[in-house]
């Protein structure tokens, strides 16, 4: 199972683990099986709840056979960390009390280690770069696509920190291509919460790519990055919502009554588990949680596999800018708006809103910088924003250069632009929607379908 996971065959690994956990195991075998699967749930399924519950099952196997030992304390500690990550304070506290001394020792060691690791950003970048490059050289042909994509993103970020933008852009381009395929493979057998956790974890690399775009200076790099950024917007906008909608559509359109019944049972089991996990501080409840969790995991895997046979519900993630361009007519323009800046999503004032523009005749998308987000926000929330030509020109002025001879504008907004009708702004004395056919889309990849 671990070998299949390393190679990226997550679905096959889950099948093998499912068989393993149903076997009549000795306490020692159960300890190994449950702890191994707990780590798999954390690393590959991004499911801290299941990870915690299987660590508890591993610790129980030890407790019932030989009593508390180092492995018992270690597994309870891992369950404690997983419950904290899952934001379940009741169960986290329960685990903390069960292995308090071990937990205190671990946290003291971690704090001491952190104090001894104060290094410059460039030193850290050098270390990470060497590790990632060595790892790819040794194990690149064995690891799965998702791990491979993540390492490419990390390498790109390391080169960016060192100021080597040629290599940073090279690896960023490879990263987006591999990431698109890797996410499709992973999403097919994950539930919504697991997809959400995987996407959240990968967003650090994605934000680093956006930051790279913001700091590269050379025109050649800018041109390549504009194409890359257009693709990144196509992939990322609405990725979780689209995954849920696409999956539900496959279920709704299916004529398989058993499939629909099993999916309804999944929803019911998820609701039961959510209720139990909120009050799961007794051994009886914990045992019920583990039992229901295993039933849910098996059922989910079966349903997702059957859905994948009916239709590819990750197809919406496959499109790139060339696919969008093929869908355009000579008089069309596609625009992806994106807020670009640093990796901190909470701080927008210093970020810049940009428009990535694509027409039928362009060799690749081009980028237009619209302005500082904080300045745009201030002028767009004024009472007379819609009729004020200064506001309209601030948003659309630079873009109008690429609108000559065009009739239809397909655009996907971002951040504040989602809440304001920028298509109604006054540009050169007239509302833009009176000058062109304006189509607001959640993503311009909608043109492909």
């Amino acid at each position: 199972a671990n070998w299949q996971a390393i190679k990226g065959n997550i679905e096959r690994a889950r099948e093998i683990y499912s068989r393993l956990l149903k076997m009549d195991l000795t306490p020692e075998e159960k300890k190994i099986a449950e702890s191994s699967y707990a780590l798999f749930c954390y690393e590959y399924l991004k499911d801290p709840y299941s990870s915690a519950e299987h660590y508890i099952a591993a610790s129980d196997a030890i407790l019932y056979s030989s009593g508390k030992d180092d492995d018992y304390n270690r597994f309870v500690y891992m369950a404690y960390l997983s419950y904290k990550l899952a934001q379940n304070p009741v169960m986290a506290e329960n685990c903390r009390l069960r292995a308090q001394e071990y937990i205190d020792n671990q946290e003291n060691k971690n704090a001491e280690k952190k104090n001894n690791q104060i290094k410059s950003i460039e030193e850290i970048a050098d270390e990470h770069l060497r590790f990632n490059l060595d790892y790819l050289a040794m194990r690149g042909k064995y690891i799965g696509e998702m791990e491979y994509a993540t390492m490419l993103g990390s390498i790109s970020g390391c080169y960016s920190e060192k100021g080597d933008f040629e290599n940073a852009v090279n690896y960023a381009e490879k990263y987006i291509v591999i990431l698109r395929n890797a996410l499709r493979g992973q999403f097919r057998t994950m539930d919504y919460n697991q997809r959400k956790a995987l996407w959240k974890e990968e967003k650090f690399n994605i934000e680093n790519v956006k930051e790279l775009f913001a700091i590269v200076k050379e025109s050649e790099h800018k041109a390549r990055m504009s194409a890359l950024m257009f693709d990144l917007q196509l992939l990322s906008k609405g990725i979780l919502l689209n995954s849920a909608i696409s999956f539900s559509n496959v279920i709704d359109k299916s004529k398989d009554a058993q499939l629909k019944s099993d999916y309804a049972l999944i929803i019911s089991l998820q609701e039961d588990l959510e209720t139990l996990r909120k009050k799961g501080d007794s051994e009886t409840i914990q045992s019920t949680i583990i039992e229901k969790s295993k039933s849910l995991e098996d059922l989910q895997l079966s349903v997702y596999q059957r859905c994948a046979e009916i239709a590819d519900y990750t197809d919406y993630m496959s499109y790139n800018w060339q696919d969008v361009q093929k869908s355009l007519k000579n008089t069309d323009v596609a625009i992806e708006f994106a807020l670009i800046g640093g990796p901190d999503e909470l701080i927008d004032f210093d970020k810049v809103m940009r428009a990535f523009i694509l027409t039928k005749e362009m060799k690749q998308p081009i980028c237009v910088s619209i302005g500082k987000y904080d300045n745009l926000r201030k002028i767009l929330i004024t009472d007379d924003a819609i009729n004020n030509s200064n506001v309209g020109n601030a948003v659309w002025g630079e873009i109008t250069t690429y609108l000559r001879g065009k009739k239809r504008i397909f655009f996907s907004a971002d951040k504040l632009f989602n809440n304001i009708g920028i298509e109604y702004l006054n540009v050169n004395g007239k509302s833009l929607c009176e000058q062109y056919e304006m189509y607001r889309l959640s993503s311009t990849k909608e043109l492909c379908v």
Side-chain angles (χ1 to χ4, degrees):
N2 283 334
W3 175 238
Q4 294 295 336
I6 288 168
K7 292 196 296 180
N9 298 335
I10 307 304
E11 182 180 332
R12 181 73 182 127
R14 289 179 74 177
E15 289 174 355
I16 296 170
Y17 270 123
S18 179
R19 283 166 48 201
L20 170 64
L21 295 174
K22 289 174 185 172
M23 289 179 176
D24 185 16
L25 305 173
T26 66
E28 180 64 23
E29 290 168 343
K30 187 173 177 64
K31 176 188 83 171
I32 295 168
E34 292 285 2
S35 61
S36 178
Y37 187 61
L39 184 61
F40 173 83
C41 288
Y42 177 79
E43 287 192 345
Y44 294 98
L45 301 185
K46 313 302 177 187
D47 186 346
Y49 261 124
S50 291
S51 180
E53 285 151 9
H54 286 283
Y55 274 125
I56 291 295
S59 69
D60 286 345
I62 299 168
L63 188 63
Y64 298 142
S65 63
S66 57
K68 294 183 179 182
D69 60 15
D70 284 344
D71 279 344
Y72 171 87
N73 287 325
R74 181 163 57 87
F75 293 148
V76 175
Y77 173 68
M78 295 305 294
Y80 159 72
L81 293 179
S82 297
Y83 277 128
K84 280 183 71 175
L85 194 61
Q87 297 182 332
N88 186 322
V90 174
M91 289 309 300
E93 178 65 9
N94 182 268
C95 291
R96 188 184 68 79
L97 292 172
R98 286 169 65 180
Q100 183 60 56
E101 186 178 347
Y102 184 88
I103 288 170
D104 288 343
N105 287 338
Q106 287 300 312
E107 291 183 344
N108 288 336
K109 284 179 184 177
N110 289 340
E112 195 175 312
K113 187 177 177 183
K114 193 173 182 181
N115 289 334
N116 293 332
Q117 286 184 333
I118 301 172
K119 298 178 181 177
S120 71
I121 289 175
E122 191 161 332
E123 283 179 312
I124 293 169
D126 270 328
E127 284 184 10
H128 285 184
L129 182 60
R130 283 196 301 274
F131 169 79
N132 285 321
L133 289 173
D134 288 347
Y135 189 89
L136 282 184
M138 288 188 294
R139 295 183 62 186
K141 63 183 178 181
Y142 300 116
I143 62 176
E145 272 195 315
M146 195 67 228
E147 188 177 356
Y148 188 67
T150 299
M151 299 206 83
L152 292 175
S154 295
I155 291 169
S156 174
C158 291
Y159 275 123
S160 178
E161 291 287 358
K162 288 166 60 65
D164 184 347
F165 297 125
E166 177 65 29
N167 274 314
V169 174
N170 287 342
Y171 276 94
E173 288 174 331
K174 294 174 186 176
Y175 165 67
I176 297 300
V177 173
I178 301 295
L179 177 65
R180 185 188 294 119
N181 292 330
L183 286 171
R184 291 184 71 185
Q186 296 279 64
F187 271 33
R188 287 189 189 107
T189 54
M190 284 182 159
D191 66 25
Y192 179 81
N193 288 327
Q194 290 167 345
R195 293 176 212 148
K196 184 177 178 181
L198 177 65
W199 181 244
K200 182 180 180 181
E201 189 173 278
E202 198 56 38
K203 280 188 80 175
F204 179 79
N205 277 331
I206 289 168
E207 291 301 325
N208 276 342
V209 173
K210 290 183 178 181
E211 174 71 6
L212 173 61
F213 176 86
I215 61 178
V216 293
K217 304 296 182 187
E218 293 87 345
S219 58
E220 180 193 345
H221 294 156
K222 280 285 186 189
R224 289 165 62 194
M225 285 296 294
S226 292
L228 193 154
M229 289 301 300
F230 201 102
D231 280 351
L232 188 56
Q233 293 302 105
L234 294 181
L235 176 65
S236 60
K237 280 187 179 176
I239 186 170
L240 295 173
L241 178 61
N242 280 322
S243 73
I245 292 170
S246 298
F247 182 72
S248 295
N249 286 342
V250 173
I251 298 286
D252 291 341
K253 292 176 182 177
S254 170
K255 296 178 182 178
D256 186 337
Q258 186 61 50
L259 180 66
K260 291 185 177 182
S261 174
D262 286 348
Y263 185 59
L265 182 55
I266 285 174
I267 302 300
S268 176
L269 280 169
Q270 286 174 332
E271 290 171 353
D272 288 349
L273 276 169
E274 189 174 345
T275 302
L276 287 168
R277 283 164 171 165
K278 286 177 181 176
K279 57 181 181 182
D281 54 352
S282 73
E283 285 191 24
T284 305
I285 291 177
Q286 190 63 43
S287 176
T288 305
I289 287 173
I290 291 172
E291 186 180 326
K292 281 184 177 286
S293 180
K294 287 179 178 177
S295 298
L296 176 61
E297 288 165 12
D298 288 345
L299 193 57
Q300 281 178 330
L301 184 58
S302 171
V303 166
Y304 294 146
Q305 286 173 330
R306 280 179 280 163
C307 283
E309 290 172 5
I310 297 170
D312 185 353
Y313 50 87
T314 63
D315 191 54
Y316 68 94
M317 297 165 68
S318 66
Y319 301 112
N320 57 25
W321 69 264
Q322 290 97 331
D323 296 314
V324 173
Q325 190 176 51
K326 289 173 187 173
S327 305
L328 297 175
K329 295 182 178 178
N330 291 332
T331 53
D332 293 343
V333 181
I335 304 173
E336 284 285 346
F337 287 100
L339 187 63
I340 308 294
D344 189 346
E345 291 186 345
L346 299 176
I347 304 173
D348 288 333
F349 63 84
D350 202 35
K351 297 184 180 181
V352 176
M353 183 65 80
R354 301 176 192 268
F356 296 92
I357 303 168
L358 183 63
T359 63
K360 192 74 172 178
E361 68 275 8
M362 285 180 177
K363 291 183 178 179
Q364 61 187 38
I366 62 97
C367 174
V368 166
S369 178
I370 297 173
K372 283 280 186 76
Y373 186 70
D374 196 45
N375 296 336
L376 289 168
R377 184 183 59 80
K378 287 173 183 174
I379 63 173
L380 281 167
I381 60 175
T382 57
D383 292 337
D384 65 338
I386 292 294
N387 298 315
N388 189 328
S389 60
N390 290 329
V391 176
N393 287 329
V395 174
W396 292 100
E398 292 290 325
I399 299 173
T400 55
T401 303
Y402 303 94
L403 303 182
R404 291 170 189 151
K406 306 302 179 185
K407 295 179 181 178
R408 300 192 299 178
I409 301 174
F410 301 94
F411 73 98
S412 172
D414 195 18
K415 290 285 186 176
L416 180 66
F417 284 11
N418 281 313
N419 307 322
I420 291 174
I422 57 172
E423 60 268 51
Y424 300 104
L425 293 176
N426 186 312
V427 179
N428 298 324
K430 197 175 183 181
S431 173
L432 196 69
C433 64
E434 294 177 32
Q435 303 176 50
Y436 303 93
E437 293 179 43
M438 303 289 293
Y439 298 91
R440 177 184 284 261
L441 309 175
S442 60
S443 165
T444 58
K445 67 182 168 222
E446 290 179 40
L447 294 169
C448 302
V449 291

